[in-house]
Amino acid sequence: MKKTIFMLLLILFPTCVFCGEWYEGGTLFEANALEWQKATYANKMATCANFLAAYAKAGLLNDDLTSRFNEPDDYKPYAIELANSLDKVFKRDPDDGKNIMLFSNQEVKTFAAMIVIGSGWAKPEYSNGN
């Protein structure tokens, strides 16, 4: 039940929490994996930073991680890790037809949430399957 609530909150809070510099301009909150594959690295980074900031603002990240976020640049190593993980998950298949079939229905926000949970960044009550 708590995991379902966590996923719903992650879907409801994917908005720009802060704007400026490397974390500004993320547009992939509602994107699918095909859009992610085509996006610039800057867009991916800004999107991931804002996902993390939204999760922190909603109180969904564990206290240890949240305590590290005092200014926007504190999110950067985690945004890099999240973006790199999404790149791996959404690695383009060389066969265009297969790539479309595999990734057209895969949502960035869903996989971002799964990576946050799988990385241990979410509060324990959201990571234990309850």
Side-chain angles (χ1 to χ4, degrees), residues 21-120:
E21 300 186 25
W22 65 270
Y23 41 82
E24 181 178 13
T27 63
L28 302 169
F29 306 110
E30 298 296 328
N32 66 25
L34 296 174
E35 293 167 290
W36 179 270
Q37 291 171 347
K38 296 175 186 175
T40 65
Y41 184 71
N43 192 358
K44 292 175 181 182
M45 282 293 294
T47 299
C48 288
N50 284 286
F51 272 136
L52 292 168
Y55 303 163
K57 184 177 179 181
L60 303 174
L61 298 179
N62 69 50
D63 294 336
D64 178 55
L65 187 61
T66 302
S67 70
R68 298 176 194 186
F69 297 152
N70 298 309
E71 58 185 60
D73 282 343
D74 296 336
Y75 288 83
K76 194 168 191 174
Y78 300 95
I80 291 169
E81 188 172 339
L82 181 56
N84 289 341
S85 295
L86 287 166
D87 279 343
K88 288 177 187 173
V89 170
F90 298 145
K91 184 177 179 185
R92 191 185 183 295
D93 191 285
D95 179 305
D96 287 337
K98 188 174 179 184
N99 191 62
I100 291 169
M101 184 175 64
L102 288 170
F103 294 115
S104 63
N105 293 320
Q106 304 302 319
E107 295 181 326
V108 171
K109 63 186 172 189
T110 301
F111 280 86
M114 289 191 294
I115 291 166
V116 166
I117 291 168
S119 297

